[in-house]
Amino acid sequence: MACARSSPQPVQTSLVCVCVSHARVVSVSPGPLLRVEGQPVSLRCDVTDYEGPREQDFEWTMKQGEAGSIQVISTFDPKYSDVLLSDRVASGDLSVVRLGDSVVELRIREVRSSDSAAYLCSTPSTDSVFSGNYNAGVTLKVIANTLKVAPKAPEPAVPEGGDITLSCNVTHHFSDPTYLSVTWSLQRPGIPLVDILTVGPDGDVVTGSDSAQRYTDGGLRLVIRRDGAFGLVVAGVTQADAGMYVCTGRDWTREEGGQWKNIVEKTVEMGAVAVTPTGKGDGVCLVCTLSNTTLNMDDTLTLTCLVAAGNLASLALEVTWLVDGRTAVSLGRDGVVSNGSPSVGLERTGPGEFRLVVRGVRGSDKGVYSCRVRAWVGGGGRWYQAAEKTSNPVQVLVTQIKPNFTVTLTPSSTPQVTGDPTELACLVTNITNFLAGGRLGVAWEYTPLPGPPGDRLTTTQTTIPIGSLDAHGNLKSGTLYRDRLESGAIVLTRVEPDTFKLRFLRTQEVDIGVYACSVTAWTPSRQGGMEEAAEFLTPPLTVRWEPKRPSLTAVAQRVREAVAGGATFEMSCTVSHVHLQDPGYSVLVQTQESVDSATRTVLSLTMLKLNWVLAPRDSLVLTKTGPAEFRFRLAGVQQADRGFYWCDITAWTKQPGQAWTKAVGAKSNKVQINFQETGPSFAVAIRSDTTTLYPWETAKMVCALSVSGASPKSDDLAYEVRWYLTQLRGGNKGTLLASVDRFGLVKKEARNASSDVSLERTDTHTYALSIHTTQDSDSGEYHCQATPWYRSASTGAWTHGAELTSTRVFLTVRFPMWDSLKLPLLYGSVASVSVGLFSLLLGFICAHCCCRNTTHTPRSRNKLMDLEMD
């Protein structure tokens, strides 16, 4: 609502006000409502868009025909109910329940036919303005309960795979628009009631969560007759279908909005059904119609398996014939034969009768035959195995003539020493009774000799399989010989149909022992493969020789003599071996300063690469100059290189496909580097301009070197200088601060402190270290190390002298107490004086300006005080 008012004043203004209007709305459950006598009824009433207190009061009245209204119940007046209804209100049959501040329900515990009326819900006004509706009504019609559920008891016991027929008659008197539904449920011990299938009031079929797939597969069939009889057939029952079956009938009405409302229902137990397992009672019974028998080759074997069961027609059978526990042929429940062939067949000759036919039997057909039957129950996707039984076994023998032949093992090549080849031949002769299409296979065995060679062979030794060739020529390696067979170090061949060979390319000492070969005759089998018919083993054959230990000799010779510092030293090492085949060598060049000093390895040369054991140097070279010769060269020898040098050589052997194995090693004679060099002598000293300073000052220390003796020219002299800091007095070597090499390249190490260092060369023999903006972390001992380099006057080569270490200088960085405190004290004093003066000035101004009396009243001359009277 909007209103506008204009002002008569010259300046025009407008006033706009917006008023919000509330209109009370009372609503009840949509109707008309149809309910059944004796059932509970709830009528809902709520109010919205109202003013006043949040909690509203409600009154219910009813009107039947033209008679006046009858007061039913109120939320605020306990004596509101009519005298005709007061007893029902007192007993709780009629009640009003508040669901919220503005929502209530009128509840009738057991509705009566006399409760059919128009019900009116009213709310007293709490609004400032009377607006909207204050009551609403709904019509309730109560009809008699005519629903009847009469089930027919099912069979109390049903065999697995059978059917259960559930009949339930649900009727009512059709005087009002109501509709029926029926639900079948199953109650199993310890499990809540589970719905199987429901026929709804509109004729729709609704399945339970566990029955949807079964209904789709046809395991549940619905039968409905017009006389109100509903039938459900549960097909292919299993143990899970046993239990108490329940039928529930419901009466429905369609309310406003098309929603279905269940107004009454009745549940009746139909009866308990037990499912008899297939394996019990009249379960599966198997009979094999043939006893133990003996057949000749190419005869026909016929075996019949008879299956008997009480519910045979409802079972799907899977029949399998077993031979020695292995599956020979099977017939699935779908009638498909597996593993069958033109000579082996399985067929169903009648109800529960299955016949196995094997035509043209072979030796592989002998064994213990038995019939295994598996009974399946269900259908569609619900098949499960209900029972399994196996018949008594039947022994079937096949008379056959085995092949016969002679096997001989002879050595074609025997080793004389370790590493020689060895070849053994396995010959097959005098073959009889060997069927067409047959083949021979071989297996080689090895037995080690006990103790040293020459001892008598005992039968307690373990036989180790080397490898075998089957009828198709496939190689199967023994576990211990797999690597050698795969690499080709050992070869198994079939050179002729009746000749097999075992060859060792390089015989090892572990191959000394006793060998034997086993030849197997294979004949074609019924399945298309090969089967073993006969096997013969050769007498053992001993392979041995007298092992000879390998030896190695190394000789070192000086090729070039180092007569002075900076010269080149060269040495060759020659190696010779005995009783080794195609060895490989690894070389170590070793040195020691004197006979009694420790040994150091300079270089190593393996069969793959060269390795520096000491620090890498371009002047060190080790090469292989011949099959058994190695050459070591050291260019630019120094005084530290003087000493004895020799070669430590190791011989290695290798079988094809295997790793290198160490055979033997030897050391050569020693060759000495010994030259005299009269060069200059050096000394180092350190000095500092100060040992105590304050932070942010600069400290400078000088490392001075001196030369005595034969002093070289300045161009022939250089130094490597390094500066170190030790935090604790008398500590270890310390931390490297900076260094300069002999070429003048300066390198500074990374620092965590805010100070910095610099290193400079002030003259030929002097190096200065400066520490800028020192901190307390720079306190400690400082020293320098120097390595002199000079050019040899005789050879012209650069030579380094012994490393020199200076004494230590302790640098102290003091904490400036007065410098740290004078500025804070000065600033504090000035601030205190300033605040005091400002306080005095402010007090004076306040006393002069604010506390002064500006009005002067003169005193009376007669010295009498004037009195004022109210």
Side-chain angles (χ1 to χ4, degrees), residues 126 138 149 193 204 241 255 277 369 401 403 439 441 446 485 492 496 520 674 687 736 763 777 784 803 851 862:
T126 59
V138 61
V149 179
L193 191 67
D204 293 343
D241 296 321
E255 296 187 344
Y369 284 72
I401 302 176
R439 297 180 183 178
Y446 164 77
L485 284 168
L492 273 66
E496 296 290 342
T520 304
N674 187 14
R687 64 177 182 272
L736 178 64
D763 57 38
S777 60
C784 66
E803 187 178 82
C851 301
N862 55 12

Side-chain angles (χ1 to χ4, degrees), residues 564-566 591-594 597-598 600 602 614 617 620 634 636-645 673-675 677 787 789-790 798-803:
T591 182
Q592 60 182 172
E593 295 182 3
S594 62
S597 62
R600 297 181 304 161
V602 180
L614 299 179
R617 291 172 54 183
L620 293 175
L634 173 59
V637 296
Q638 307 294 329
Q639 292 186 5
D641 297 327
R642 292 182 297 182
F644 297 93
Y645 291 80
I673 299 178
N674 187 14
F675 63 91
E677 183 76 24
T787 303
W789 287 79
Y790 59 92
W798 283 91
T799 303
H800 66 82
E803 187 178 82

Side-chain angles (χ1 to χ4, degrees), residues 384-701:
Y384 88 100
Q385 182 178 324
E388 177 180 336
K389 282 195 174 181
T390 303
S391 68
N392 294 329
V394 173
Q395 180 72 44
V396 176
L397 301 177
V398 178
T399 302
Q400 58 178 340
I401 302 176
K402 295 184 177 181
N404 190 21
F405 49 84
T406 303
V407 184
T408 305
L409 179 60
T410 59
S412 302
S413 175
T414 56
Q416 302 301 319
V417 295
T418 303
D420 285 352
T422 301
E423 185 176 86
L424 305 179
C426 189
L427 304 178
V428 181
T429 58
N430 303 325
I431 302 177
T432 58
N433 301 326
F434 199 46
L435 297 179
R439 297 180 183 178
L440 298 177
V442 67
W444 293 91
E445 300 175 352
Y446 164 77
T447 303
L449 292 175
D455 285 0
R456 183 174 57 87
L457 179 64
T458 63
T459 58
T460 59
Q461 296 301 108
T462 303
T463 299
I464 303 173
I466 300 174
S468 63
L469 295 174
D470 61 10
H472 302 286
N474 299 319
L475 172 65
K476 182 179 179 181
S477 305
T479 304
L480 299 179
Y481 288 85
R482 180 173 292 111
D483 293 340
R484 298 175 68 183
L485 284 168
E486 292 178 355
S487 64
I490 300 178
V491 180
L492 273 66
T493 58
R494 185 204 306 264
V495 295
E496 296 290 342
D498 56 356
T499 304
F500 304 91
K501 287 190 177 182
L502 170 65
R503 180 176 178 82
F504 293 84
L505 299 184
R506 293 179 182 175
T507 310
Q508 304 177 17
E509 291 187 17
V510 295
D511 298 325
I512 297 177
V514 178
Y515 292 83
C517 71
S518 174
V519 177
T520 304
W522 298 83
T523 57
S525 67
R526 183 176 308 282
Q527 291 74 22
M530 305 295 291
E531 61 183 5
E532 182 179 341
E535 180 180 3
F536 294 90
L537 180 66
T538 65
L541 175 66
T542 302
V543 176
R544 70 174 68 185
W545 66 94
E546 188 65 30
K548 298 180 180 180
R549 298 297 179 184
S551 62
L552 196 68
T553 303
V555 178
Q557 295 180 348
R558 183 184 290 105
V559 178
R560 186 184 301 182
E561 177 73 22
V563 296
T568 299
F569 168 76
E570 193 167 350
M571 175 183 69
S572 69
C573 293
T574 305
V575 60
S576 59
H577 63 84
V578 178
H579 300 147
L580 286 175
Q581 287 190 350
D582 301 330
Y585 300 103
S586 62
V587 181
L588 297 178
V589 177
Q590 297 179 320
T591 182
Q592 60 182 172
E593 295 182 3
S594 62
V595 176
D596 299 329
S597 62
T599 300
R600 297 181 304 161
T601 300
V602 180
L603 280 176
S604 68
L605 178 63
T606 65
M607 291 164 288
L608 299 177
K609 63 179 180 178
L610 175 68
N611 299 313
W612 279 271
V613 179
L614 299 179
R617 291 172 54 183
D618 295 337
S619 59
L620 293 175
V621 179
L622 178 59
T623 59
K624 185 176 182 179
T625 57
E629 183 179 0
F630 300 88
R631 183 161 295 187
F632 169 69
R633 183 171 66 251
L634 173 59
V637 296
Q638 307 294 329
Q639 292 186 5
D641 297 327
R642 292 182 297 182
F644 297 93
Y645 291 80
W646 68 91
C647 294
D648 188 349
I649 302 178
T650 303
W652 302 76
T653 58
K654 180 182 179 183
Q655 292 286 341
Q658 295 185 351
W660 287 94
T661 304
K662 183 177 179 180
V664 66
K667 292 184 179 180
S668 69
N669 55 302
K670 298 180 179 179
V671 178
Q672 186 179 14
I673 299 178
N674 187 14
F675 63 91
Q676 300 297 327
E677 183 76 24
T678 58
S681 59
F682 299 88
V684 62
I686 186 173
R687 64 177 182 272
S688 175
D689 53 357
T690 181
T691 58
T692 303
L693 69 163
Y694 293 99
W696 304 102
E697 295 182 353
T698 300
K700 186 174 183 180
M701 286 168 281

Side-chain angles (χ1 to χ4, degrees), residues 159-228:
E160 272 187 312
D163 296 343
I164 300 176
T165 301
L166 304 174
S167 297
C168 188
N169 196 339
V170 181
T171 60
H172 70 159
H173 294 312
F174 188 78
S175 59
D176 293 282
T178 59
Y179 305 87
L180 294 175
S181 72
V182 61
T183 300
W184 289 273
S185 305
L186 176 61
Q187 175 71 60
R188 291 193 293 267
I191 300 177
L193 191 67
V194 178
D195 291 343
I196 301 174
L197 185 139
T198 299
V199 180
D202 52 0
D204 293 343
V205 176
V206 179
T207 60
S209 59
D210 299 335
S211 305
Q213 186 62 42
R214 189 173 188 177
Y215 179 76
T216 303
D217 297 337
L220 297 175
R221 299 192 303 272
L222 188 62
V223 180
I224 301 177
R225 297 197 303 267
R226 292 186 178 181
D227 57 355

Side-chain angles (χ1 to χ4, degrees), residues 316-332:
L317 301 179
E318 176 186 322
V319 180
T320 303
W321 280 96
L322 305 175
V323 181
D324 294 334
R326 300 186 304 271
T327 299
V329 63
S330 61
L331 178 66

Side-chain angles (χ1 to χ4, degrees), residues 4-134:
R5 181 179 65 183
S6 300
S7 174
Q9 297 180 5
V11 179
Q12 299 294 327
T13 62
S14 62
L15 176 64
V16 178
C17 61
V18 178
C19 303
V20 180
S21 176
H22 294 275
R24 178 184 292 257
V25 178
V26 178
S27 59
V28 295
S29 303
L33 302 178
L34 183 63
R35 295 296 183 264
V36 177
E37 188 176 10
Q39 302 299 311
V41 175
S42 297
L43 302 180
R44 181 187 177 96
C45 180
D46 64 87
V47 58
T48 59
D49 298 333
Y50 59 88
E51 295 180 349
R54 177 179 298 176
E55 185 177 282
Q56 294 289 296
D57 289 313
F58 297 84
E59 296 175 347
W60 283 93
T61 60
M62 59 183 293
K63 184 175 182 181
Q64 295 175 331
E66 299 299 331
S69 298
I70 301 175
Q71 296 178 350
V72 181
I73 198 168
S74 172
T75 59
F76 63 92
D77 186 3
K79 299 180 180 180
Y80 178 78
S81 303
D82 189 272
V83 66
L84 298 177
L85 303 176
S86 58
D87 291 341
R88 296 180 64 184
V89 172
S91 64
D93 187 38
L94 285 175
S95 62
V96 61
V97 179
R98 184 179 294 277
L99 304 180
D101 293 336
S102 59
V103 183
V104 297
E105 267 189 0
L106 172 62
R107 295 182 180 178
I108 306 175
R109 184 186 300 166
E110 293 183 1
V111 69
R112 306 174 183 177
S113 58
S114 60
D115 293 331
S116 297
Y119 288 81
L120 186 68
C121 176
S122 304
T123 60
S125 175
T126 59
D127 303 327
S128 60
V129 178
F130 189 84
S131 177
N133 68 307
Y134 288 81

Side-chain angles (χ1 to χ4, degrees), residues 341-358:
S341 64
S343 57
V344 179
L346 176 59
E347 58 184 353
R348 181 171 184 170
T349 57
E353 183 176 341
F354 301 88
R355 180 179 298 168
L356 170 66
V357 178
V358 182

